[in-house]
Amino acid sequence: MFMTTCVVLLLSLVAVICIGNRYCVLQIHPVGLFILLILALTWLAYVEGLHYACVAVEKRDLSEFRDRFPRACKNHEDMNETAKVKRFLIGRQFFTI
């Protein structure tokens, strides 16, 4: 965990330095590039979180939560098939890459 955090921080620092020195393919203002970087990292974190959440609850019985979280249980019923989870993970991988 520590090593992964160090690598992510190092690569983020490299991206920030490269944007600051204008070593970018996109020829737009650096503020726009920083906004794109923040949006991309946020999107990546969201997609990775969805991956872990989807796999963690794929085969769980959520009937005990039906009264408190009816919409979540309905979504779980819709996605609680191996084929649908595989298709979701393939689409998620597209956005990750």
Side-chain angles (χ1 to χ4, degrees), residues 49-73:
L50 278 175
H51 170 240
Y52 292 116
C54 185
V55 171
V57 299
E58 179 182 1
K59 298 297 181 189
R60 285 188 64 186
D61 180 27
L62 300 181
S63 59
E64 64 187 81
F65 302 108
R66 191 167 308 283
D67 294 334
R68 289 179 29 208
F69 306 105
R71 197 165 106 193
C73 289

Side-chain angles (χ1 to χ4, degrees), residues 24-90:
C24 299
V25 175
L26 293 175
Q27 298 301 317
I28 60 175
H29 196 274
V31 173
L33 293 171
F34 283 119
I35 291 171
L36 285 176
L37 176 65
I38 291 168
L39 289 174
L41 290 176
T42 303
W43 182 259
L44 179 63
Y46 178 71
V47 169
E48 288 297 321
L50 278 175
H51 170 240
Y52 292 116
C54 185
V55 171
V57 299
E58 179 182 1
K59 298 297 181 189
R60 285 188 64 186
D61 180 27
L62 300 181
S63 59
E64 64 187 81
F65 302 108
R66 191 167 308 283
D67 294 334
R68 289 179 29 208
F69 306 105
R71 197 165 106 193
C73 289
K74 175 69 173 124
N75 287 339
H76 182 261
E77 288 172 6
D78 291 342
M79 285 297 296
N80 200 17
E81 297 175 17
T82 304
K84 289 182 179 179
V85 172
K86 285 182 182 178
R87 283 198 306 255
F88 168 76
L89 293 176
I90 290 169

